[in-house]
Amino acid sequence: MDRGSNYNPTGPIDKSRVLDVKPLRSLKPIFSPQMGSSQTGPFPGVPPTGPFAPGGPSFFPFASGNESQRASGFANVIPSPVPLNSFRTPDTQYSNGNAGPSKTRGRPRKGRTEDDYGASDLGENLDDPSSGRKQRGSSHKRAKGPANLSSVQVSIDDTLDQFLRAFKLTALESHQQADGNKELVARVLLTYNLFRRRLFQICEAKEDIPGGTNRPDLKAATTLMNKGARTNSTKRVGPVPGVEVGDIFFFRMEMCMVGMHAPTMAGIDYMTVKLSADDEPVAVSVVSSGGYEDDGEDGDVLIYSGQGGVQRKDGQIFDQKLERGNLALEKSLHRANVVRVIRGVKDVPNGTGKIYIYDGLYKIHESWVDKGKGGCSVFKYKFVRVPGQPEAFTLWKSIEHWKAGSGTRIGVILPDLTSGEETLPVSLVNDIDDEKGPAYFTYSSTLKYDKPFDLPVPSSGCACHGGCQAGDANCPCVQRNEGFLPYNSLGVVLNYNSLIHECGSSCLCPPNCRNRVSQAGLKVRLEVFRTKDKGWGLRSWDPIRSGMFICQYAGDVIDASSIMDLGSEHEEYIFDATRAYPSLDYTSNGSAEVPFPLVISAKNTGNVARFINHSCSPNVFWQPVLRDSGDKTYLHVGFYSIGHIPPMQELAFDYGIPKSDRAALRRKRCLCGSLNCKGYFY
DNA sequence: GCCCAATCAGGCTA
DNA sequence: CTAGCCTGATTGGG
């Protein structure tokens, strides 16, 4: 019921009596509150129909069918990597007016950590005590390779243009910028994240490049938005087309770009609606991320604090005023309008970062004035979630309980089907039917090569005792990856090469080197679960960032020529790199294939990857990864997320198309259920 | 239209 | 690890 101290049971008070306020001009509801109306549908009272309710389900008559089908399949639109020679070409070959040192902003670059997500765990347990926690400062900078500034600038521009072209965002129609849809939102966010990561990778490797930044999140967003690559820029009360309840974001700018929440810092977003006589502000969304003392009785209630009203360092105290966002919330309360709520939670693996969860539509039930710390007056608003929406924030709370072992999770068959083989347990869960588990197999987290199947790649290990450093031109591992480290410290791939060269056994770097991601094991808590109609599948309790490593494909490497003879029951657990995969087709234009015909059977021995199902709209893709072992180099297959994946969403990748006609005859009915499902897979 | 203030970021340092 | 400083970007409002 009441939550006690903060709660004022006397109900809303007359704020104008207490504070310096603008008068509420009209309290007559624009829309009838509809609280007890007989309206049907999942969101009673939503939207507040009328002149300013463009939200809600829409048809997209302008979306070209085949274009949307093509573009939402991430894999076939991955831009090719910037060729290495673009960093070596003299300036004179380019006539780009932006190139040239004269355009540089003279801002001195500061020292920075190895990634854009705060402190890294690198540098701990180092042999070399003098290196300290982090390689920083002049010695580190001097180690960086000579950067050809202008050509790097060109490559940043080129990279962006490639992304924009690949995702067909070069010339968005104005109606597409104003009103989005799911496919468009996905394209904008994917482009943003690919560019942001690539931008970070380039900037951390080279000093003082024009357009360089220590805030790739901001830089990438402004660049994209300046080119018109955004959507849902029309503010609206109610749902945002293309964003679903439970969707997650890792940066405020992401929400800005897709019309979820426009302000870059402020917690309350509102719009001014035209009335017959006056303009009135109406709230559209709030972000609750711990800046104030927000609280709620349970997952469906949020006590939100108004904006402003701080206690300054000099001791001066400012009360909150009933203006701007606070006034808008007050109006939304009186109009009984819905407000989108975004919950910010701490990103545990990152530490300093936050994850923003879209928790759906809420209504403000009451407001009051409270005394905040320091004694200033603070507005409080009680948000109550509109019933009937999919679970979002409460799901996160449940997962916390599962992890702590305090919650009862129904349908758990095994707490850890890997029997400790993996770094993290993997639950086996069935809350669908009576199946007791998948057919017997031996769990193994590694890939087994029977025959020496090595590649003629001369491997000379690095000597980076403190872990490989971005921009270290002397590191052979950096060189093999075209001058960059392929991952950040969270295990996120930063760009898309046809091959990732990880450090191997001949390298002297420690096991927690940034370039040993796929060999370091699981980083997210996975579960094998019973799907409704596709057998067993794989999903994650933890949120997964765009580009993050998920797992490798373990099993037995088998002879590619024998794949034709395998029985159909065998091919259920086959990974076949010789198939045509959309992503590989795109990045390579057909030329750069996997170095040798790698086929893996996980029928008898395998890991979690054998449970990943096919989807025509995948959220996971794979990349070949090279690791050396002694004097031999072995190929592995790493799985990475395409976009951000909320907890408990099934992981799936595109199984590709077999190149042999015989195998192609064995097509199976696809049950992925996506809008652009081809209807079958192999 | 220009400028500026306000703001539940996010990186970095002490 | 946390508090605080610093740069930063959008948008509303004057």
Side-chain angles (χ1 to χ4, degrees), chain A residues 274-285:
Chain A
K274 294 261 187 291
L275 295 178
S276 50
D278 285 314
D279 291 351
E280 278 209 0
V282 176
V284 296
S285 57

Side-chain angles (χ1 to χ4, degrees), chain A residues 363-375:
Chain A
K363 277 191 181 179
I364 308 172
H365 278 206
E366 53 191 317
S367 69
W368 63 95
V369 174
D370 209 345
K371 285 292 174 198
K373 49 181 176 184

Side-chain angles (χ1 to χ4, degrees), chain A residues 2 62 109 141 209 287 409 579 619:
Chain A
D2 300 342
F62 305 108
R109 301 286 300 283
K141 285 178 182 175
I209 59 170
V287 176
R409 175 107 168 87
R579 292 184 179 186
N619 53 10

